Amino acid sequence: MSDDEVKKFLYVNRKAPYGTIYAQESLEVVLIGAAFDQDVAMAFLDDGVFQLTKGQDTKGTGLKNFSPTYRALGDYEVTKLYVEQESLDERGLTLDDLQDIQYEDEDDDYAEKPSIIVVSRDQMASLMAEQDVILSF
Amino acid sequence: MKFGIVVNEGPYTHQASDSAYNFVKAALAKGHEVSRVFFYHDGVNVGTRLTIPPQDDRQIQEQWSALAKEHELDLVICIAAAQRRGLLDENEAKRQGKDADNIAEGFRISGLGQLIEMGIEADRTITFGD
Amino acid sequence: MATLHTVNRSPFQDQALLSCLRHVKKGDSVLLFEDGVYGAMSGTALSDTVAELGADVSVYALDADVAARGIDSARLLEGVALVDYAGFVDLAANTERTQNWL
């Protein structure tokens, strides 16, 4: 692979936020990685879907609430957040329980478009199978 | 083939750094290249030189330092994760006004960009974690 | 175009193995190591599920981790092949990508 070729990176998130640091430090990788102009997507499955829920309020815990950062991902041109339907279903969640995360599509007169793409488990498996680099946290 | 390795868990608590070490040794023995080992999350704790494990146990940091010396491995400790957990090299200790540093020989502290760069350059990226 | 999947956690403790097996593609390889090797045992409450979900993939267990946990190779699921660290390296080299189910 030549140096100027773009690789497909998938960041796989399977863990809930706060109980452990993985979700937060994963987000830090994604933000730094955005500067490298690769083809980046994030996958949220299993407990990873809990990272995207609305209404997170960490005041009583002393932990930093990093959930607003997901809404800023579009500014870093991270615009593909794949969320697995079965993982939502298993946890009694629907798309309405997740934050409204949007990006401005510069190829479409900066129209605001949703970053979250809900996919089936089979579609998630196919997405994983077409990556060059999969980083899991 | 060029391997990039990520270690996400701390030594002794978790087997990840042992598994990664055994994998890297096996890869090198087969003539592969290991372009970088990136220590993230609690994995950064592998790189402190101040550990004193019992004598009848393996010396995880020393094993890595020796392997790095022998094969000129690039052992990179993530600076953001390291700062949270108290891993400092001499420069960083000075810059932050801390009274000591603790980074072991063969390790260097650098940014998360090194992880992404490794993913771009390596043929395979393998993560050892939990 | 195959993927090497690795699982290092016990399936009795968490969902990594089952989630992995629900996302594999035919012809992929799954390597169980560290506590993941408990997922390779026969005669457990999960054996049939693992055998069923893993029917279209090659399942391997890391010999050093199997031995460390005192698992007799006769207790492994049929079709599970033992590999050493060199075999782990080969699996990673001979597949297109590695996905680690952390």
Side-chain angles (χ1 to χ4, degrees), chain A residues 12 14-15 45-46 84 90 121-122 124-126 128-134 136-137, chain C residues 1 3 9 14-17 19-20 22-25 28 96-102:
Chain A
V12 175
R14 295 184 49 253
K15 298 188 176 101
L45 61 153
D46 298 335
E84 187 177 275
E90 287 161 6
R121 188 163 275 157
D122 281 349
M124 183 64 87
S126 297
M128 290 166 168
E130 61 188 37
Q131 302 301 317
D132 295 310
V133 182
I134 300 175
S136 302
F137 296 100
Chain C
M1 295 304 284
T3 301
R9 312 182 74 170
D14 96 353
Q15 294 281 315
L17 176 59
S19 191
C20 165
R22 287 177 183 132
H23 291 88
V24 291
K25 294 282 187 185
D28 283 353
E96 204 76 9
R97 69 191 68 72
T98 302
Q99 178 163 6
N100 311 106
W101 290 81
L102 307 177

Side-chain angles (χ1 to χ4, degrees), chain A residues 71-135:
Chain A
R71 294 202 301 276
L73 285 168
D75 299 339
Y76 292 82
E77 290 175 33
V78 178
T79 60
K80 293 176 286 188
L81 276 53
Y82 294 94
V83 176
E84 187 177 275
Q85 181 72 59
E86 285 85 342
S87 297
L88 290 173
D89 293 345
E90 287 161 6
R91 288 158 184 79
L93 299 175
T94 68
L95 194 52
D96 284 343
D97 294 306
L98 306 186
Q99 296 193 75
D100 186 17
I101 302 173
Q102 303 200 336
Y103 71 101
E104 293 180 347
D105 187 350
E106 58 183 26
D107 297 327
D108 188 8
D109 199 21
Y110 295 92
E112 293 212 330
K113 298 187 175 176
S115 297
I116 291 181
I117 307 156
V118 177
V119 296
S120 69
R121 188 163 275 157
D122 281 349
Q123 288 172 317
M124 183 64 87
S126 297
L127 179 78
M128 290 166 168
E130 61 188 37
Q131 302 301 317
D132 295 310
V133 182
I134 300 175
L135 290 175

Side-chain angles (χ1 to χ4, degrees), chain A residues 1 3 5 7 9 11 15 21-22 24-26 28-29 32-33 36 38 132-137, chain B residues 6 8-9 40-42 80-81 84-85 112-117 119-123 125 127 130:
Chain A
M1 178 168 278
D3 286 346
E5 215 166 325
K7 277 194 172 184
F9 272 71
Y11 298 99
K15 298 188 176 101
I21 198 170
Y22 302 104
Q24 186 182 348
E25 286 191 333
S26 160
E28 290 176 5
V29 176
I32 296 286
F36 284 77
Q38 303 293 303
D132 295 310
V133 182
I134 300 175
L135 290 175
S136 302
F137 296 100
Chain B
V6 188
N8 280 346
E9 294 296 329
Y40 196 43
H41 301 305
D42 277 358
R84 282 198 177 102
R85 294 165 178 85
L112 271 172
Q114 301 274 304
L115 168 60
I116 310 298
E117 187 186 275
I120 294 169
E121 288 173 359
D123 299 306
T125 300
T127 306
D130 193 31

Side-chain angles (χ1 to χ4, degrees), chain C:
Chain C
M1 295 304 284
T3 301
L4 169 66
H5 302 265
T6 70
V7 176
N8 68 317
R9 312 182 74 170
S10 165
F12 304 100
Q13 181 77 23
D14 96 353
Q15 294 281 315
L17 176 59
L18 293 181
S19 191
C20 165
L21 292 175
R22 287 177 183 132
H23 291 88
V24 291
K25 294 282 187 185
K26 195 180 165 99
D28 283 353
S29 297
V30 176
L31 173 71
L32 307 175
F33 74 115
E34 298 176 1
D35 286 350
V37 297
Y38 292 118
M41 288 173 65
S42 61
T44 74
L46 288 171
S47 297
D48 289 347
T49 310
V50 172
E52 193 182 319
L53 291 174
D56 288 338
V57 298
S58 306
V59 182
Y60 302 87
L62 191 72
D63 59 2
D65 284 326
V66 169
R69 287 155 181 82
I71 304 170
D72 191 309
S73 56
R75 291 288 303 271
L76 296 180
L77 282 168
E78 204 181 315
V80 172
L82 287 172
V83 292
D84 56 12
Y85 286 104
F88 185 173
V89 172
D90 289 341
L91 285 170
N94 297 335
T95 45
E96 204 76 9
R97 69 191 68 72
T98 302
Q99 178 163 6
N100 311 106
W101 290 81
L102 307 177

